[in-house]
Amino acid sequence: MLKSAPLDGLRFAFGTLTVLPVRVHRWDREAARGGMLCAPLAGLVVGGCAAGLGLLLLLLGAGPLLAAVASVAVPAALTRGLHLDGLADTADGLGSGRPAEDALRIMKQSDIGPFGVLTLVLVLLAQVAVLAQLYDGSWTRGAVAAVASAVTARLALTLAARAGVPAARPEGLGAAVAGSVPTAAALGAGVGVAAVAGAAGVHAAVAVAAGAGAAEVLLRMCVRRFGGVTGDVFGAVAETAATVSLAVLALGR
C-alpha cells in the first residue's frame, strides 16, 4: 500500500478545488483525506486573489461596488463556477419535491431550473452587497471579508467530508472524498481556522463559525433528502458558508 507523501494532499486540494495548474498524482482515499484537510489553504489562496483584485481596483479609483463584483467573480473563475453550479443544482434537487432518485437525476441535468436560478441570483447579490458595504467602510474590512469567506467556504468542504457522511452516488468527486476525513481532524481544522480568524477580531471568528454552522444545516438536510452527498452538495455547502460568513461580517458595521 502506497504511503501518502506530504504534498499529495496539497496537490489534491489545489488540483481539484481550483483551476491553478497543479497536477494531481494520486486519487486514492489517503490523498483525498489530505486534500480535504488542506481545502482551507486553497481557500486562503483563492480569497487572497479575490481581495487582491478588489484592492487593486480601489487603488485605481474604482468604486466599492465594482471592487465587490470583482472579489465575487474571482472565486467563481478560480473554481470554474463549479461551486455555484452545485448550489444551483442542489437548490433544484431540494425544491423539486421528488423522491431521492428523481431529485438526484434532476441535479445531474445540464440545465438550471427556477429554484436554481433564484438561489444563484440571491446568493450573488448578497455577496456583492456585503463586500460593497465593507469596501465602502474600509478597504481592510473588505479584503479581510473576501479572504475569510473563501476560507470558510473550503472549511465547509473539510467538515462535509468527515467520516460518517455517506455519498449519495457511487461515482464522482463527491463519492471520492465523502467520509474521507476523520471526524476529530475535521473538527480540529474548524477550530484552527476559527482561531486564526480570531486574530482579525472576534467578529471574524464568529463569522467563520456561523458560516460553518449554516453549511452543516444544509449538509444534514441534503443527507436526509438525497441519502448522502454529491459533488453538487459540496459546492452548495461551500457557497452557503461563504455567504453566511459575509452576512455576519456585515452586521454591526
Side-chain angles (χ1 to χ4, degrees), residues 29-131:
R29 293 290 281 181
E30 284 191 24
R33 180 183 304 117
M36 298 314 288
L37 281 171
C38 291
L41 294 177
L44 183 62
V45 172
V46 170
C49 292
L53 182 57
L55 292 175
L56 176 62
L57 288 172
L58 290 172
L59 184 63
L60 293 175
L65 181 57
L66 181 57
V69 170
S71 290
V72 170
V74 168
L78 289 181
T79 58
R80 301 183 183 92
L82 291 180
H83 292 172
L84 290 170
D85 180 66
L87 175 68
D89 288 342
T90 301
D92 281 333
L94 290 173
S96 68
R98 303 286 184 84
E101 187 177 338
D102 293 336
L104 288 170
R105 186 165 56 249
I106 289 170
M107 291 164 64
K108 285 192 75 172
Q109 294 174 357
S110 58
D111 60 327
I112 299 178
F115 288 106
V117 171
L118 182 61
T119 301
L120 275 181
V121 169
L122 292 177
V123 163
L124 290 172
L125 280 176
Q127 292 180 1
V128 169
V130 169
L131 284 170

Side-chain angles (χ1 to χ4, degrees), residues 29 33 158-166 177-186 219:
R29 293 290 281 181
R33 180 183 304 117
T158 303
L159 296 171
R162 69 183 183 273
V165 179
V177 301
S180 63
V181 179
T183 301
L219 176 69

